[in-house]
Structure formats: structure tokens, C-alpha cells
Amino acid sequence: MKPIQTCGRMAAWLAWVITAVCVQAATAADAPWKPGGQRICIDGITFDSTIHCGNGHAFSKVGPDHYRFRARVGLEPYAWRFYFKMECPQAVGRTITLEVADFNHAGRTVFHESATVWSTDGRRWITMEPQQMEIVPFTPTGCAKLDAHYGDREHLPYGVRYRLRLTAPQMWFAVPTPYTLQRRDELLDRLAAAHPELVRSITVGQSRHSRSHGFPIRAARIAKPGDDPQRQNVVVIAGEHSAEVAGIYACEGWMQEVLAHGEWLDRYVFYFVPIMNVDGAYYGSTYYNLPRALTEGVGDNVSQGWHDRRLPEVKALWPLLAEWRAVFFASLHNGRHRTALEAFGPPGPGSEALLGTWRRELGLPFEQMRWKENPAAFNVLPRSGITPLAYTIETLLLVRQKGCGSFEESYLQTGRQLARGTVAALDAMPPDAKRPEASVAHFPQNQPSQKRLLPGPPSERVRLAGADFTAQLPWFYHNLPFERWQRHDVYSFEVNGWDLPPGQYAVALLPRGNPTSLAVGFDGSRFQQVPVRDGRAELPSVRIDNRMLSLYLKTPGAPEGGPLESVLVYPAGEDAASAGNRAVPFAGYRRDTRAQEREILNRDAWGEFYSLLRRDSFGKKELRAMFNDLLEWCRRRQVMEPGDRHYGAIYSEEDKYDFRDAAAAAVCFTHAWRDTGDEQWRRRALAARAYAFKGQHVEDPANRNQYGGLCQMVPSFRRLGDKLPDVNGVETCIAINHLVKTFELGLEPSEQDLRRLELAARWVAASEFQPGKFQHHEGTTWDCQNSNALGAMALARAHHALDKRGRHPPESWLEAARRGMRHWMEGQEAIGCWPYRFAMIGRGQAFHERNLPDQGMGTYHFLVACGTPVFRSEPNVQDRMRRVARWWLCTSRIDRQPPLATIDLDDRQTSGALKFSAFTWCRFMAAASLMRIAEPSGEGDFWRQLALRYMEHVYTKLWNRTDPNTAPVMRATRDDMKVRTWIQAAEWDAALLRDMEERLP
């Protein structure tokens, strides 16, 4: 034993030395995190994170009225939470800058920080305004142990600066709105005291550190007295991830709603666990619980620990779940990037019923229900025979419900609405849907030998239920005339977003009934008879390399749900029977185009819509009048004082001097110069173009991440200053298009202009992080389809413009543009939609308002690219154009408000703080795209009329003719949106109007 003891002492000594070295290094920069928080006075302000459930350490002064601190707890891999108090009686009236140095999450935009709050009493929380926040670079600690491996491709470390006015002797600062363990205990005790006959508090068990901090895992049981065996149990938990307070507040709201509906207790018994991860809540971590030795290790992700039940939180709750045998279980979370709710759970009719009632009850968008393979409760509980209907529900942290004055109120309201939707679905659900085996039957890999609760390699053999992925598209998708609503017998089968390895596959179609053949096609118009043998029609070799399979069947008299029982996909050349035995069911989502929700696609409404569409009441004259109004606005708002640092900029009604606005204004002024010959317009165009280049990073050629790229004005950056924000790839590409347009219109560039254009294009080319995939903004690596279309367009446009002027740009730009174009086109779905991210489920697949901005941004610039020499003969472009035009048609509506009925894009269901689809700009992008589609599609007059109808709606109902201090075009279709710095796009709208006018006969 002696040598072992010696080794143990040596290891302990080495650990002490390593820790001491880290502490010493961090002391020079920042002190490491210690349990219990920090209390320190700087400049008469006492920063105190020793408060209950506080977070924040290493407070230091970095400049006048500028104080930095850290939020990361120990070695936890993620951090986006803090909560501390400031005692500042001598500093009241000062405005200070607070900077968190070490956040780490996807997004890195001011929007992702919009849950930041402050308080003067620690109870009522006030939301921080976007203009008070700024994203800044990550500040390392200086200790390699702490800084190494912090972050990954999707979670890059960064900092945030906040400008806060100290308005009281004591203030509290937090993100998100705190939910403490004391509040939990006060809630449970208060409800039990107020409803002693209904509410009983339960101690579930102890966490690793409950005995140290005194807060066990607690639950509440809400039920009528007695043990009625007919009552079914419902379990709701929250706080598996300790910073996800929107889910915790929603759990409290759910409890309140149950107590407001005594009749529910005749049928159900409810159990609530408001905070599972009590250690994380107490010590201030973001996701994980705390390791046994608090300052060593990273802890564990409680939500991913259900498969082996070794974590103390899961181990404590599991016996109670086994006893309760709930009919329904939900774990409430919240994504810090989401703008719509989402749920994960078992496929099947029970989930479909719940999704329908949740959507009906909620005041926020509910994106989808999907299943994925992981060791979370929604997988483990049904497979263990404990709960048939188990879900993770991702509520919303960053988006408030309409009418809610605070995030806390919105979170509570969401819980109440989920409660109503859940009970409504359970009440209507047949008994068979509530049996554990009912949901397990729908699970992929549900055979015991195939169960896999941890991620693994994708299968090459997949079986899909026919009805889950079959839809009928409107008749005009199949070359039937627009004029008359009509039925048809063509069915679209499409699955997207699967992880099938690229390759050649056999596709076996198993029909319903006993047909001798199936008419199969790939474009919705042409079909070939495929014989049915041994119960299947086999396509022996289909190339699948874009995570999507899309085909059509023409089947007169098919039963409801379509002609297919199932579809089997397996490697080409393999025996079908053998592949069928090994195939894994795919149930990641269920396709729903939501065509049934589109009013104009109903038989009774189509005639009225078509009549309005063909109305001859708007044309070139009106487009030019709109342009002239916007041109005059640009003229009045342009800064033309030579000594002003914003010389050439357009001062926006959003209180900014934006580079994109200036680039678009340069196009408008150049048009005016060409129209009139007046040199005044030329001078304005040159000044605007020169200002647009002031948003370009040219200060450090060695900085490859920024050099040549352009930035975007954001709420925290509305004026030129000493430093530009990070590069935005979208803005860079848009600027390239506008600036090249000024060249084409005759505003000849200087050598400096050409050099700047070349630098911008070089940045775009260098931002291609994988073949055909371009960065959305500096540092991102998600496969954003808009960025890909923009990147292809920008490189093609810049190459042509520079080559025409003898600059000899590299051919590699065109090769990258071709890769981007190919990747963009292969992502289009049958309805014509491009998901926001490639193969993304939930931001595609449907005629839905959430895709309106994405479709406009990507499609318009794809069409601009098609006008460049490199893409003029690109194959398959016409089919892509025809499909996306039909998607816009299907998302249109009749607006019957006076003074006359008009046609608009249907954004009525958009919700949240941003409401991107309500931007008036979406109408301009759609109309400009349709004008470009008209001629090459062979359906010119129809699409030109739809484009004009959108513009007629804007000019009739979204046009300002009274207030000279706001732009002629209203920035959005509604006013209940926070002011951002990119809703109003008047200058861009004006440039698009001329783009449309050029394409009218």
C-alpha cells in the first residue's frame, strides 16, 4: 500500500501545483471561478455575486466607468448566464459599461442577448434595449487550462458590453430573468398553504451537493383527495439545464393553470418538478450540473443522462416515475437561439394531436414536433414502458408573447397555454394512443437488437411510411392551367433532412392495394410506368447526395393518405428482401405543406383571387411614382456637408448611417442622373458609393478573417467610430451587387473603387468554409442557403465587373460561384421552398410565412447570378424558377380592407419580437424576383401581374403620404415590433422598383 499512497500524494501535489499555476496566471488577468461568488468594491460600486444563486466573478476595471467580469463556472463548456447585485449609493446617476468577457453560444448577435434584464428591487425586471448592448471579442483568462478547448464551431466565445445607467442605490443585473431556488421553495410552500386539500410538496431526492447548500430536488403533487384509479398521471419537469429559466417559469405557469381548472383534477393527477438541476441553479452554471469536486471537471448534462440513470438527479426521480406511470411527460427547456417553439418526442397520432392543440392555444409559433436519437427522457421513458407520451419542449427565451410587459410574464403565459393544449389533446385522445406500446411502435430502431440510445453512424437502409411524406400539391404545379381550380391525381413524395450517406440507391415503392404498376416521375409532369413485382415497384438506381428524396406518382383513385404504404431505400444492387429486414424506420418528422391553411387554394376563393390577379390597375407609371417618392426621401436624408464623417450616408429613420442604405442609394441616384442628366445626382451617387466603402475592413491585411469584408450597422453600432464590428457575409455580398450595379449604370469606378471591390470579393471567396458553403457572418459555419446564393452571386458579379475593366480576377472565384450555385439549387424542395439552412426541418417544407424573408433574399440574388455570363446557360434553372414562383403564389392572400381589395403576402401568423416576414421589404424582394422569373419561365404575364399586385398593395396600404419624418414606405405591416437597425430598407426598395420597371414590356 505504501507505493500507492505515495503515488496518491504525488498526484494530489501535482494537481495543487497545476491549480496554483492557473491561479497565478489568472491573477495577472482574471481570478478563477470559486463557489459562493465574489463581492468586491471598485470605484464606489460593490459588485456582489454572493447573493443566492448568483453568478459573476473576476470583476475588474478596464477603463473609465468600464468594468469587466466573467460568467463561466469552472470548466463548464458553455456560459451565457450571470446574476449579481450592485450597491452604488454614491454612483447613482452615472452611466457605466459592464462587459461580460466569456460568453459562449451560437449566434453572437445582439438579438441573442435580448433576454438581458436589470432591476432596482431584485423582483421586477426591466428588459435591456438593443441599443444598450454590443457584441465584442472574447477576452481569454490567460490560463491555458481554462482557455483551452473553450468553444467549438457552433459555440464561439465572445463578449458583450452593456451600457447601464445607475438609477438607484441598489441594482441587480442578470441574463436571463433569474429563477432562484428560494423562489421555487416559496412557490411550493405558498401553493400547499393556499390549497392544502389539493397540493402536496414532495422531496424527490438529493443532488451531489444538496446537503452542502441545503436545497434538495423538490416536486409538487396537485390532485383531488382520494385514489381514483381512473385518473391518469401527468408529469412536468423543468430546469435540467439550469439557465433555461423560460422553461422553469413555464412550469410555474403550468401549475397555476392546473389550479385554475379544478375540473381537470377529476381526470388527472399532476406532478411538477420545477428545477431538476438544483446544483447548477445554486452555483450559477448554464447547462451542466456540478462535478463532485466543484472546481474540477465539467459536470454532466442532466438531460442526456436518462439511459443509464447514474446521475443523482435522474436516479432520484426515476423510482417515482416508475411508480406514477404517467400518461404524459414533458421536460421544459428553452433554446437561446429560437424564434419558434419546438418539441422532441415519439412519432405517432398522439404527438400529432398534441402538436395541433399546442399550436391552437399558444400565442407564439410552434414550429414542429420531431424525433431524434439520443438518451433524453423522451426516448428512454416510452422504451422503458413508463410513459407513452414523453417530450422535450423547447419554449422561447428571447421572444415575448404579444401583450406581455416582461419576459417573466411571457414565460408564465406560455406554461399556461401549454397546459391547456395538453389537457385538450389528452381528453380527445383515444385510449389506444395512451398505451406505452403505441408510441414505441412508431420509434425507429424499436427492435431490441437495434436500440441505440447514443448517436451513431447513419444507416444506409431506411424505411419510410408513405402517408408521413406524401402530399398533393396544388394543380398548377403539374402544368395544369392557372385559370380554373381543379382536382388532380398526382402525389408528391418527399423526405428531407436525413443523414443518408451520398451514393446510388435502390428505391422500392410499396403500394397500397394491389396495382400492377405505378406511374412514377421526378418533375411532377412526366411519368413512366414501373411494374409492381413481389409487392413493390423498384427504381434500381437513384442518386441521393443532397439529403433528400423527391418523386411523384400519378395514381387515379388513390386512397386518403396517398398511394404508398411505405418506401424502402437501400444501396443499389443489394437484395431488396435482405435490405428490408435490416432497414431502420425513419420518423424524424412528418411532412405537412400546410396547403389546407391557404385560403386562396380553396375552390370557393380561387375565382376571386384570380380575378384580382388579372386586374389591370397598376403598372410602370405607379412604379415610377413610388421610386420618385423614395428618391426624394433619399435626397433629403443624405449627409452632404463635406466635413461630416458620415458624408454621403443616408440618415435613416432608425437613427443610423448605414452602409447598405448608402450602397442602395448610390444605385438610385445613378438612375436619377441617367434619367435627367443632372450632375447633382451624379455627385450624390459618388458620395453614397464612397460612404458605403467606409463599412469595409481594410485596416489590417494580416487579419484574414476580416480584411476586405463589410460590416452591418447593428443597434450598438449606428455611427462611424474607431472600430468597425465583425464582418457580415450577407452585407458584403449585397454591397457587391449594389456597387457593381452603379458601374453597369454608367457611374464609372475609380481605381480605388475597383480595388475595394476586389478585396470584398476576395473575402467572399475565402469565406467558403466547405465546397459551395459561404459564411453568413464572420466565424459562422452553418450551411445557410441564403449565404450560399449570395456568395455565388457576389463572386460571379465581381468577376464579370473586374474582368470587363481589365483587372483579370482569378478563375477560382467562378469555380467557387459554381459550387455555391450547385449547392443552392440542390436544396430546393418540391413546393419550391429552400429551407433556411440546407435540409433543415422546420424552416422549409411548407407554405409558411416564416420562409418569406429567406425566399426573397436567396431567390432574388440567385436570379441576379443567373444574369451573369457564367450562369446564363445553367441547366435546370427554369424549373427552379417556376417552382419558387408557385410557392409565392401559394403564400399570397386577399386583403379586403378598404379602399380596395388587394393581394398581399400572408404574414398574419407571424409572431415574436422581430416578425421578419412582416417587413415590407419582403414584398419588394418577392415582386422583384417574380419580374425576373417572368420571361425565362415562359409564364411571363402571370408572374408580372402577381408582382404588380404586391406593389399595388404596398402603394395602397403601406405607403406614408403624411409624415415627412418617416420614409414613404412603411417599414412593416404592423407596429408591434421593437425598432431594430434593419427593418426599414427604403433605399433598397427603391433600387428594386427600378429593377422591376426594367422588366416590364
Side-chain angles (χ1 to χ4, degrees):
M1 294 297 294
K2 191 97 170 181
I4 296 176
Q5 290 175 345
T6 303
C7 289
R9 289 172 184 152
M10 180 65 74
W13 178 81
L14 284 171
W16 179 87
V17 169
I18 291 171
T19 303
V21 169
C22 278
V23 169
Q24 184 177 8
T27 301
D30 294 304
W33 174 80
K34 293 180 180 178
Q38 181 186 17
R39 180 179 171 88
I40 184 172
C41 183
I42 308 173
D43 287 349
I45 304 172
T46 298
F47 299 94
D48 186 5
S49 62
T50 67
I51 60 175
H52 174 59
C53 293
N55 172 288
H57 67 279
F59 291 93
S60 63
K61 180 176 180 178
V62 296
D65 288 328
H66 183 174
Y67 309 96
R68 183 185 291 146
F69 63 95
R70 295 190 173 277
R72 184 185 181 194
V73 170
L75 296 174
E76 189 181 25
Y78 309 112
W80 51 264
R81 170 193 185 188
F82 60 76
Y83 171 38
F84 57 87
K85 178 182 176 182
M86 291 175 286
E87 297 172 7
C88 49
Q90 305 305 315
V92 173
R94 284 168 53 189
T95 297
I96 64 172
T97 297
L98 295 165
E99 178 181 335
V100 60
D102 57 351
F103 269 9
N104 174 341
H105 205 273
R108 299 190 306 143
T109 71
V110 170
F111 168 72
H112 294 89
E113 309 308 320
S114 56
T116 308
V117 293
W118 58 273
S119 174
T120 57
D121 60 8
R123 297 187 302 276
R124 292 179 294 274
W125 295 93
I126 300 168
T127 305
M128 199 154 222
E129 293 299 324
Q131 58 267 26
Q132 295 176 269
M133 298 183 284
E134 175 187 8
I135 306 302
V136 297
F138 164 64
T139 303
T141 66
C143 175
K145 180 183 178 182
L146 297 176
D147 296 334
H149 311 298
Y150 185 44
D152 53 44
R153 290 196 313 175
E154 292 293 327
H155 302 83
L156 299 172
Y158 64 98
V160 186
R161 283 186 192 147
Y162 313 89
R163 294 285 289 166
L164 180 65
R165 182 172 175 80
L166 302 177
T167 58
Q170 292 184 330
M171 295 187 68
W172 286 257
F173 194 41
V175 63
T177 303
Y179 197 110
T180 66
L181 291 162
Q182 286 178 353
R183 174 171 176 140
R184 178 205 66 176
D185 288 355
E186 289 168 2
L187 170 72
L188 298 184
D189 295 346
R190 183 176 68 252
L191 294 182
H195 308 275
E197 75 287 1
L198 301 178
V199 180
R200 176 165 59 89
S201 179
I202 301 169
T203 297
V204 173
Q206 307 292 321
S207 68
R208 287 188 183 123
H209 300 285
S210 285
R211 289 179 176 84
S212 297
H213 54 62
F215 291 93
I217 305 165
R218 294 183 68 190
R221 179 182 188 267
I222 303 180
K224 284 187 174 180
D227 295 318
D228 184 348
Q230 298 302 312
R231 290 185 297 189
Q232 298 174 316
N233 293 334
V234 172
V235 176
V236 179
I237 72 171
E240 289 186 292
H241 297 151
S242 46
E244 295 186 355
V245 298
I248 301 173
Y249 277 105
C251 184
E252 179 178 322
W254 201 314
M255 297 170 72
Q256 294 171 350
E257 193 69 15
V258 168
L259 289 169
H261 290 272
E263 72 278 8
W264 291 357
L265 302 182
D266 294 331
R267 307 185 297 280
Y268 302 102
V269 174
F270 293 88
Y271 294 91
F272 295 93
V273 184
I275 302 178
M276 278 283 284
N277 183 2
V278 293
D279 288 350
Y282 184 83
Y283 288 110
S285 71
T286 294
Y287 281 122
Y288 288 13
N289 66 11
L290 274 293
R292 196 172 301 280
L294 286 170
T295 58
E296 298 178 15
V298 298
D300 296 287
N301 186 345
V302 175
S303 73
Q304 301 296 296
W306 291 84
H307 58 303
D308 56 13
R309 299 183 284 285
R310 64 179 178 82
L311 300 183
E313 297 85 356
V314 177
K315 190 174 182 180
L317 185 59
W318 186 268
L320 294 175
L321 293 175
E323 174 189 338
W324 295 336
R325 299 281 165 173
V327 67
F328 172 89
F329 169 96
S331 178
L332 303 180
H333 290 244
N334 62 250
R336 193 175 170 269
H337 58 286
R338 300 176 187 277
T339 56
L341 282 85
E342 183 179 27
F344 298 89
S351 295
E352 293 166 19
L354 284 159
L355 181 59
T357 55
W358 286 337
R359 280 176 170 161
R360 187 178 69 231
E361 290 291 340
L362 279 159
L364 294 165
F366 202 119
E367 193 163 86
Q368 62 183 334
M369 172 91 71
R370 61 190 175 106
W371 176 87
K372 66 178 180 180
E373 187 76 67
N374 70 13
F378 71 82
N379 268 319
V380 177
L381 292 176
R383 283 171 162 153
S384 301
I386 289 177
T387 302
L389 302 168
Y391 303 91
T392 290
I393 303 176
E394 296 279 1
T395 66
L396 297 187
L397 182 76
L398 304 177
V399 180
R400 267 189 285 183
Q401 298 221 27
K402 186 175 182 179
C404 290
S406 67
F407 278 112
E408 177 181 339
E409 183 184 357
S410 179
Y411 304 155
L412 292 166
Q413 179 79 341
T414 297
R416 296 187 188 102
Q417 293 164 346
L418 285 169
R420 294 196 296 269
T422 300
V423 171
L426 293 176
D427 284 348
M429 209 175 287
D432 286 351
K434 301 178 184 180
R435 292 183 292 106
E437 59 269 25
S439 61
V440 173
H442 292 275
F443 269 101
Q445 301 173 284
N446 57 352
Q447 295 82 7
S449 62
Q450 293 180 318
K451 284 185 181 178
R452 176 170 47 87
L453 290 176
L454 294 174
S459 173
E460 296 182 334
R461 299 157 193 85
V462 181
R463 186 185 302 277
L464 305 105
D468 284 355
F469 301 98
T470 299
Q472 273 204 300
L473 308 186
W475 69 98
F476 41 73
Y477 275 83
H478 307 295
N479 283 341
L480 296 172
F482 291 103
E483 290 85 348
R484 181 174 56 85
W485 188 97
Q486 53 189 300
R487 298 185 185 279
H488 62 91
D489 53 13
V490 179
Y491 293 82
S492 164
F493 177 90
E494 184 173 84
V495 59
N496 199 359
W498 57 6
D499 291 321
L500 205 64
Q504 295 295 133
Y505 289 87
V507 177
L509 309 174
L510 285 70
R512 300 169 72 180
N514 298 294
T516 58
S517 66
L518 289 177
V520 182
F522 289 92
D523 63 3
S525 301
R526 295 168 295 181
F527 299 88
Q528 182 177 350
Q529 292 294 329
V530 180
V532 175
R533 300 189 180 98
D534 298 325
R536 63 181 181 273
E538 189 167 336
L539 309 177
S541 184
V542 176
R543 180 72 189 177
I544 301 177
D545 54 13
N546 62 343
R547 302 182 64 191
M548 185 194 308
L549 173 64
S550 187
L551 53 84
Y552 299 85
L553 299 103
K554 187 175 177 63
T555 312
E560 185 178 353
L564 295 176
E565 185 66 38
S566 62
V567 174
L568 179 66
V569 180
Y570 52 97
E574 191 169 290
D575 176 70
S578 173
N581 292 333
R582 301 165 62 191
V584 173
F586 179 83
Y589 72 102
R590 190 175 187 191
R591 185 184 182 199
D592 180 6
T593 67
R594 302 179 79 162
Q596 72 280 1
E597 300 174 19
R598 313 309 327 168
E599 177 191 2
I600 67 164
L601 297 181
N602 295 330
R603 179 196 291 270
D604 296 338
W606 179 256
E608 179 187 4
F609 177 83
Y610 187 78
S611 176
L612 284 176
L613 182 69
R614 306 302 292 178
R615 182 173 66 197
D616 186 14
S617 57
F618 197 89
K620 271 188 175 182
K621 176 182 175 182
E622 288 77 15
L623 291 179
R624 180 59 68 92
M626 294 171 74
F627 172 80
N628 288 338
D629 285 354
L630 292 171
L631 178 68
E632 174 59 18
W633 164 261
C634 295
R635 186 196 67 77
R636 287 193 293 111
R637 305 286 286 199
Q638 189 177 28
V639 179
M640 292 301 286
E641 292 76 28
D644 195 305
R645 62 179 172 174
H646 298 109
Y647 178 74
I650 311 298
Y651 178 56
S652 169
E653 67 184 81
E654 293 180 338
D655 187 29
K656 61 175 180 175
Y657 297 89
D658 192 66
F659 309 117
R660 182 215 294 163
D661 291 351
V667 175
C668 300
F669 293 147
T670 306
H671 275 296
W673 170 54
R674 283 168 55 96
D675 293 341
T676 66
D678 187 341
E679 281 296 308
Q680 174 203 183
W681 292 118
R682 182 175 181 274
R683 286 194 299 272
R684 289 182 176 276
L686 289 170
R689 187 166 71 185
Y691 179 80
F693 281 124
K694 289 186 178 181
Q696 187 175 33
H697 281 273
V698 291
E699 61 276 8
D700 183 6
N703 187 344
R704 299 178 62 187
N705 291 327
Q706 293 189 334
Y707 190 58
L710 282 86
C711 64
Q712 178 186 18
M713 283 207 161
V714 293
S716 57
F717 178 75
R718 298 168 182 265
R719 307 285 191 276
L720 280 176
D722 296 331
K723 184 181 178 182
L724 295 174
D726 288 354
V727 173
N728 188 295
V730 171
E731 295 297 311
T732 302
C733 295
I734 293 169
I736 287 174
N737 182 45
H738 287 322
L739 297 168
V740 169
K741 182 66 175 180
T742 65
F743 302 173
E744 294 169 344
L745 290 173
L747 192 70
E748 277 302 311
S750 66
E751 283 299 309
Q752 176 73 356
D753 293 334
L754 294 174
R755 175 61 180 156
R756 290 295 191 92
L757 175 63
E758 182 179 354
L759 290 177
R762 287 189 182 279
W763 186 91
V764 174
S767 79
E768 187 188 17
F769 60 91
Q770 289 181 359
K773 303 174 186 178
F774 297 88
Q775 287 184 0
H776 182 279
H777 55 271
E778 182 184 336
T780 56
T781 54
W782 68 68
D783 189 358
C784 175
Q785 284 287 66
N786 287 346
S787 304
N788 301 334
L790 281 158
M793 177 279 302
L795 290 175
R797 293 275 279 160
H799 187 282
H800 180 58
L802 292 169
D803 185 62
K804 187 176 179 180
R805 288 161 180 81
R807 303 288 289 200
H808 307 297
E811 289 299 303
S812 60
W813 291 3
L814 296 183
E815 293 166 7
R818 292 187 185 99
R819 290 191 293 269
M821 181 69 86
R822 283 195 298 270
H823 187 52
W824 157 262
M825 290 204 298
E826 71 182 359
Q828 190 185 36
E829 296 175 322
I831 60 174
C833 185
W834 277 274
Y836 177 63
R837 298 189 189 185
F838 189 84
M840 182 182 188
I841 305 304
R843 284 287 292 272
Q845 298 87 52
F847 304 115
H848 198 287
E849 69 277 352
R850 63 175 167 246
N851 283 100
L852 289 174
D854 308 333
Q855 289 289 86
M857 181 72 84
T859 301
Y860 176 76
H861 292 101
F862 155 69
L863 295 167
V864 172
C866 289
T868 61
V870 67
F871 292 126
R872 280 181 188 147
S873 59
E874 186 74 14
N876 303 318
V877 166
Q878 186 185 66
D879 179 65
R880 299 292 192 280
M881 293 180 180
R882 290 163 63 99
R883 287 191 178 280
V884 70
R886 283 160 170 76
W887 184 89
W888 268 308
L889 175 63
C890 292
T891 54
S892 301
R893 73 178 181 98
I894 301 172
D895 184 335
R896 298 181 178 86
Q897 295 298 313
L900 77 162
T902 53
I903 292 176
D904 185 24
L905 293 171
D906 193 351
D907 69 352
R908 290 173 294 179
Q909 297 303 312
T910 191
S911 59
L914 182 57
K915 302 179 179 66
F916 200 175
S917 57
F919 290 13
T920 309
W921 165 86
C922 292
R923 283 86 184 143
F924 286 86
M925 292 299 279
S929 298
L930 290 167
M931 285 291 191
R932 284 180 172 263
I933 288 169
E935 198 60 40
S937 70
E939 300 168 328
D941 187 55
F942 189 86
W943 300 124
R944 280 191 285 266
Q945 286 299 318
L946 183 57
L948 290 173
R949 295 287 77 73
Y950 291 157
M951 290 298 95
E952 179 182 45
H953 175 82
V954 171
Y955 199 41
T956 303
K957 298 176 179 178
L958 297 173
W959 208 252
N960 165 39
R961 295 176 171 86
T962 58
D963 183 358
N965 295 316
T966 58
V969 61
M970 296 181 188
R971 64 194 188 102
T973 61
R974 59 199 69 187
D975 295 324
D976 56 338
M977 294 166 25
K978 287 187 176 181
V979 174
R980 306 253 172 187
T981 62
W982 41 281
I983 297 178
Q984 180 57 274
E987 298 78 12
W988 195 356
D989 295 343
L992 291 168
L993 285 166
R994 290 303 292 261
D995 197 58
M996 296 178 223
E997 186 183 335
E998 290 173 7
R999 284 160 178 78
L1000 282 174

